[in-house]
Amino acid sequence: MTTLESAPAKLSNLLQETFKRSETYLSGISEQRVFPSAEHLKLLEHFNESLPERGSDALQVLSLLDTYGSPNTVASQGGRYFGFVTGGVTPAALAAKLLGTTWDQNNGARLGSPIAAKLEEVALEWLRQLFALPEGTTGALVTGATMANFVGLASARHALLKKQDWNVEEDGLFGSPEFRVIISEESHSTIFKALQMLGLGRNRVTKIPTDDQGRMCAKDLPMLDANTLICVQAGNVNTGSFDDIAEICAKAKVAGAWVHLDGAFGMWAGVSEKHQHLTAGLNQADSWAMDGHKWLNTPYDCGIAFVRDAKAHRAAFALSNAPYLQFGKTEAREPLEYTPEASRRARGIEVWAALKELGREGVSALIQRNCEQAQQFAEGFRKAGFEVPHQVVINQVMVGFGDDETTKQVIRAVQEEGVLWAGATVWKGRTYMRLSCSSHATTTEDVEQSLESIVRCARSIHD
Ligand SMILES: *Cc1c(COP(=O)(O)O)cnc(C)c1O
């Protein structure tokens, strides 16, 4: 039988080798194709083996991973990955994740890791201040905006049913009173997923139509009342546009409705003075969801939820009984009473590191630079005669190259060339290429080089 050897010298060698390979990977990132070539993808077949009976040396495991794995990564750590909404990783956040990985802390309970609990608290408080959310707002670090939406909506479900004397955590939804859920036709697919996971239903919603930029306007809302949950969006994934946040929040406040704001990436725009007007009134909402791994450029995975009503938040996620977890005896925050998970990785380490490294100014500069890059793309496309079918308000840009089939061909050609990566989307029934500028690593030159590649591919398809 193989035993795991962890002699200090051997471990030290392994860590150094890991570090060396990581360094080589990152230093070559801007020369690497942004999406693996067909040839590289074939290397993945090396992983097609049945469960090994006998173990392998750790160095050999690492070598296999690097040899066949590294060429098959998407180069989202470089400056020319514009797919989905994908942030890079700031240097301090990367370093913090590396050290944090060697710590391997369990962020579930305070006792599981004092440093993880501390940095999560500090990071959440800094974020609360950054977005000027009300004092007393509680937060949670989860896997992404999907789960952050889930946390916000679960807290809303608790509060809205409690008003009707129903304890949903104790008694479930069978036979419960009802409340109304209002979303927009442009709500993100993960809002629907959160609703489906909470027993609120994807279809049992009132869907509000949006304007030509994908915005939900306050004037299109039905009368709100205290028995309503309304989901607003900061940052449409196609156009980057914002719902009428201030006015909708004001109406909801008067009516006593609960406003949940999905601001996965768009909420960050509020940190830039130039874009602040887009998120005005956002702190009047009742719950908020955003991502760290998008625009803050923390590593995967990292979502952030905030809830104004701390009691509702805790009621939705508190544990009912576990004799070995003695909570509630001190004032201290127990992380797992605010999240769906119990054991979880310590994301606060990286959020703290990124915020400490960037400061408010650095976050603002990052947001602003990415927004300028989106403008640079849009101007380049328009100058070349291609269609940008929306106002470019923050970091998202769509472009069309003719009919849907031609646009699809151009997207394929660009992806095959490998200088950059951008995907396809459908907007108002038509196909477009969609680019998201969300990385600190993206430079003006990256955008120029990408524009050249896109225009070249488009011209070659047109000719
Ligand atoms: C990305 C995104 C989500 C989902 O975020 P994940 O981090 O992938 O879970 C939700 N809403 C909006 C608006 C998004 O852009």
Side-chain angles (χ1 to χ4, degrees), residues 144-146 149 188 190 233 235 237 262 264-265 291 293-294:
T146 305
N149 279 327
H188 196 265
T190 58
Q233 183 165 259
V237 282
D262 177 4
F265 62 98
D291 270 314
H293 57 222
K294 285 178 180 167

Side-chain angles (χ1 to χ4, degrees), residues 362 364-374 437 439-443:
S364 172
L366 166 63
I367 302 304
Q368 221 147 299
R369 196 165 60 242
N370 284 154
C371 291
E372 281 160 18
Q373 290 163 346
C437 301
S439 174
H440 76 97
T442 301
T443 62

Side-chain angles (χ1 to χ4, degrees), residues 15 18 93-105 299-300 345-346 349-350:
L15 291 178
T18 307
L94 175 66
K97 186 166 191 195
L98 290 173
L99 184 59
T101 297
T102 62
W103 289 350
D104 193 28
Q105 301 291 282
Y300 285 106
R345 72 179 207 90
I349 299 170
E350 299 132 28

Side-chain angles (χ1 to χ4, degrees), residues 111-378:
L111 281 173
S113 173
I115 183 62
K118 181 70 188 171
L119 290 182
E120 179 168 85
E121 265 171 35
V122 172
L124 287 169
E125 174 56 18
W126 283 358
L127 289 166
R128 188 193 67 75
Q129 291 174 17
L130 187 63
F131 295 101
L133 302 183
E135 248 176 83
T137 294
T138 45
L141 295 178
V142 289
T143 47
T146 305
M147 284 314 285
N149 279 327
F150 177 86
V151 168
L153 298 181
S155 307
R157 184 183 68 167
H158 172 87
L160 288 163
L161 290 176
K162 184 165 173 262
K163 275 198 247 183
Q164 303 188 64
D165 295 322
W166 187 267
N167 184 329
V168 67
E169 286 75 26
E170 299 271 350
D171 300 321
L173 281 172
F174 298 108
S176 77
E178 300 193 358
F179 60 88
R180 180 169 55 156
V181 179
I182 298 180
I183 60 168
S184 93
E185 62 179 12
E186 280 290 326
S187 286
H188 196 265
S189 51
T190 58
I191 287 282
F192 292 87
K193 188 165 181 167
L195 290 170
Q196 95 194 22
M197 290 192 288
L198 284 162
L200 298 175
R202 284 194 304 249
N203 291 336
R204 202 199 141 282
V205 291
T206 305
K207 230 188 246 183
I208 309 299
T210 55
D211 72 3
D212 61 339
Q213 303 298 313
R215 296 176 290 219
M216 176 162 65
C217 303
K219 67 172 171 46
D220 296 327
L221 293 183
M223 277 296 287
L224 300 179
D225 57 32
N227 201 22
T228 300
L229 160 63
I230 176 164
C231 299
V232 297
Q233 183 165 259
N236 178 292
V237 282
N238 281 325
T239 64
S241 70
F242 292 69
D243 288 349
D244 239 346
I245 297 169
E247 230 183 300
I248 295 173
C249 285
K251 275 192 173 182
K253 204 155 202 101
V254 173
W258 181 294
V259 180
H260 172 74
L261 183 132
D262 177 4
F265 62 98
M267 202 161 151
W268 294 94
V271 181
S272 142
E273 231 167 76
K274 213 174 145 193
H275 300 90
Q276 239 165 31
H277 64 280
L278 295 165
T279 61
L282 159 156
N283 55 4
Q284 297 301 309
D286 298 285
S287 52
W288 300 264
M290 60 185 143
D291 270 314
H293 57 222
K294 285 178 180 167
W295 229 349
L296 181 59
N297 281 229
T298 59
Y300 285 106
D301 47 24
C302 181
I304 304 152
F306 281 108
V307 181
R308 176 194 293 272
D309 180 346
K311 279 193 181 139
H313 186 182
R314 188 153 176 267
F317 294 103
L319 289 176
S320 59
N321 82 59
Y324 56 95
L325 297 169
Q326 294 296 318
F327 300 148
K329 300 213 166 128
T330 66
E331 288 298 296
R333 173 182 184 279
E334 277 298 342
L336 58 63
E337 300 210 298
Y338 296 89
T339 55
E341 308 88 352
S343 298
R344 50 194 248 294
R345 72 179 207 90
R347 301 179 178 90
I349 299 170
E350 299 132 28
V351 176
W352 169 83
L355 290 172
K356 179 78 179 154
E357 180 183 28
L358 293 169
R360 192 193 291 269
E361 282 177 11
V363 178
S364 172
L366 166 63
I367 302 304
Q368 221 147 299
R369 196 165 60 242
N370 284 154
C371 291
E372 281 160 18
Q373 290 163 346
Q375 293 295 345
Q376 192 186 342
F377 267 121

